């Protein structure tokens, strides 16, 4: 009887750092300062330094981070924000929450990220910002995106929810746009034990606005100079994240090594493996393969006890919630093909060689 291989293993990671995490949680329980406080500020400073930005603002979720970053960039009703349809729903949802309209642009078939070549044609007088998503942990082609943004006076908000520690030409994801947004959903490369998110930036006015909006537009305890949100990061999560941040580089290195090993194991098969570009440090939030027989492969792997999932089976322009935007099937053929053919295999720092071989053998038994 062989054991199953899960898609992610959060218990294995907790076991590896239990004493430090437990002590951090206990510290917060001892002082009972659950809202804001020293843990939140300490983590914000540590994460800003890690990204190479001036400041960071901890918030309740990655979606809240995107929502506030867009608002701080002045995005609102009547505006358009250009993004990719091949992402998690929250990328588009955050744009819609501001009252603006998401405008989708198809992806590059090798990296699965927004294709900068297609952005210019989507710009209108209403375009306010571009929101690239660093999908699966690989930064989007930022030089080209920033060039277009500069030419058209647009803001750039990075959705870095899958890219903690990734780099583009030696600069960390998060330090490339006007503002950048992270999620600490438990299964992300840096995840907390509940919900959490964060915005980073170096423009004092923009990031200062995010800081005010996350806490009810507050300028002092009982004075509010605009309407904001109750979007704070809580102290328990910040304390846990402070511990885990110290391991992020080590964990990302382990993910990269596992990805390289999968690449080798699939080298002589028909499976399409991820393309990691030379100038980019991919941190493999997901290890995504592509095959036209994806749905049958999933059935096979499930029967073999291998945890797999599709990121993402339905592009945003085809989501029922976005019917009103007026897009149709066929509008973004590359995204639609990827949605039919991609599959994420088990990948986490604690994955063993034995587990990886079992996954690879199961895949190979199917594809031949
Ligand atoms: C996880 C994720 C989000 C949302 O983060 P939450 O913390 O779950 O709100 C947004 N965008 C992308 C690309 C994500 O992967």
């Amino acid at each position: 009887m062989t054991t199953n291989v899960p898609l992610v293993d959060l218990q294995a990671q907790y076991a590896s750092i239990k004493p430090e995490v437990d002590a951090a949680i206990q510290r917060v329980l001892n002082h009972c300062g659950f809202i804001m406080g020293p843990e939140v500020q300490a983590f914000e400073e540590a994460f800003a330094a890690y990204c190479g930005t001036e400041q960071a603002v901890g918030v309740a979720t990655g979606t809240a981070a995107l929502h506030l970053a867009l608002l701080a960039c002045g995005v609102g009703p009547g505006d358009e924000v250009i993004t990719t349809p091949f992402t998690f729903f929250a990328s588009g949802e955050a744009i819609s929450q501001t009252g603006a309209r998401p405008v989708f642009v198809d992806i590059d078939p090798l990296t699965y990220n927004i294709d900068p070549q297609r952005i210019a044609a989507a710009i209108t007088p209403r375009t306010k910002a571009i929101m690239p998503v660093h999908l699966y942990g690989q930064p989007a082609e930022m030089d080209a995106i920033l060039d277009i943004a500069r030419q058209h006076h647009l803001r750039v908000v990075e959705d870095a929810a899958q890219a903690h520690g990734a780099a583009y030409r030696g600069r960390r994801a998060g330090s490339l746009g006007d503002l950048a947004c992270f999620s600490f959903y438990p299964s992300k490369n840096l995840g907390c034990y509940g919900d959490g998110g964060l915005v980073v930036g170096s423009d004092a006015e923009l990031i200062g606005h995010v800081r005010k909006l996350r806490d009810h537009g507050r300028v002092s305890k009982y004075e509010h100079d605009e309407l904001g949100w109750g979007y704070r990061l809580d102290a328990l999560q910040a304390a846990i994240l402070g511990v885990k941040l110290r391991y992020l580089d080590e964990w990302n290195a382990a993910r990269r090594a596992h990805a390289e090993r999968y690449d080798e194991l699939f080298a002589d098969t028909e499976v399409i493996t991820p393309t990691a570009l030379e100038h980019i440090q991919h941190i493999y939030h997901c290890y995504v393969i592509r095959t036209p027989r994806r749905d049958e492969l999933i059935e096979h792997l499930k029967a073999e006890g291998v945890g797999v999932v599709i990121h993402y089976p339905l592009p945003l322009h085809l989501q029922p919630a976005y019917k009103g935007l007026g897009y149709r099937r066929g509008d973004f053929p590359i995204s639609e093909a990827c949605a039919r053919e991609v599959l994420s295999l088990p990948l986490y720092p604690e994955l063993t060689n034995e587990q990886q071989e079992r996954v690879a053998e199961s895949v190979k038994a199917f594809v031949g």
Side-chain angles (χ1 to χ4, degrees), residues 41-359:
Q41 196 186 335
F43 177 66
E44 287 174 346
E45 284 167 10
F47 200 78
Y50 180 82
C51 290
T53 59
E54 294 289 326
Q55 293 190 54
V57 177
V59 295
T61 65
T63 311
L66 292 168
H67 183 198
L68 295 187
L70 290 164
L71 288 172
C73 285
V75 174
D79 295 331
E80 294 176 354
V81 178
I82 294 173
T83 193
T84 164
F86 194 56
T87 178
F88 178 57
F89 186 67
S91 308
E93 190 181 33
I95 295 167
S96 303
Q97 281 169 349
T98 69
R101 176 190 169 89
V103 171
F104 300 118
V105 161
D106 213 352
I107 58 172
D108 175 293
L110 286 182
T111 63
Y112 310 121
N113 277 323
I114 192 168
D115 182 352
Q117 314 257 20
R118 298 171 190 269
I119 291 176
I123 293 173
T124 76
R126 292 178 296 279
T127 308
K128 196 74 170 251
I130 305 172
M131 195 173 83
V133 179
H134 305 321
L135 199 70
Y136 307 146
Q138 170 151 258
E141 195 48 67
M142 291 302 291
D143 278 352
I145 292 168
L146 292 166
D147 273 350
I148 298 165
R150 228 170 275 127
Q151 279 164 31
H152 297 267
H153 307 287
L154 306 175
R155 293 290 192 184
V156 175
V157 173
E158 296 170 68
D159 181 343
Q162 304 188 358
H164 321 70
Y168 178 87
R169 297 195 192 282
R171 284 175 296 150
R172 282 256 160 82
S175 67
L176 305 161
D178 292 298
L179 290 170
C181 304
F182 290 87
S183 164
F184 304 123
Y185 186 83
S187 59
K188 303 281 158 112
N189 287 36
L190 179 61
C192 57
Y193 295 159
D195 272 313
L198 179 137
V199 183
V200 288
S202 295
D203 180 316
E205 205 174 309
L206 289 181
I207 195 82
H209 198 183
V210 171
R211 195 177 294 285
K212 188 168 66 170
L213 290 174
R214 75 141 169 215
D215 193 21
H216 306 288
R218 202 191 301 265
V219 286
S220 68
K221 192 165 167 66
Y222 291 116
E223 194 185 356
H224 308 259
D225 73 356
E226 67 177 315
L227 300 179
W229 276 263
Y231 271 173
R232 295 171 303 231
L233 175 66
D234 77 70
L236 279 169
Q237 301 305 340
I240 293 160
L241 288 163
V243 171
K244 294 184 77 176
L245 179 59
R246 298 199 286 270
Y247 294 91
L248 180 58
D249 284 342
E250 189 184 308
W251 289 334
N252 280 344
R255 283 175 183 268
R256 289 165 57 81
H258 296 332
E260 221 166 273
R261 189 131 191 285
Y262 270 142
D263 289 347
E264 285 162 15
L265 290 164
F266 296 129
D268 49 4
T269 71
E270 65 175 48
V271 165
I272 298 171
T273 54
T275 302
L277 302 175
E278 277 296 312
H279 60 293
I280 282 173
Q281 172 110 322
H282 193 326
I283 46 89
Y284 295 95
H285 172 57
C286 304
Y287 186 88
V288 176
I289 60 169
R290 195 172 161 189
T291 163
R293 291 192 292 154
R294 193 266 316 270
D295 291 344
E296 299 146 84
L297 176 57
I298 288 182
E299 288 315 308
H300 168 78
L301 292 175
K302 281 188 176 158
E304 296 259 305
V306 173
V308 288
V309 77
I310 303 169
H311 297 110
Y312 295 90
L314 193 61
L316 268 52
H317 68 290
L318 301 179
Q319 290 287 348
Y322 276 144
K323 233 183 228 150
L325 293 180
Y327 288 110
R328 285 189 310 258
R329 194 169 289 279
D331 283 346
F332 305 110
I334 304 169
S335 296
E336 291 170 28
C338 289
R340 284 192 301 270
E341 297 185 352
V342 297
L343 174 62
S344 299
L345 296 180
L347 187 75
Y348 45 89
E350 300 78 13
L351 188 70
T352 65
N353 283 351
E354 209 177 358
Q355 287 174 313
Q356 252 196 308
E357 268 153 32
R358 219 172 87 53
V359 173

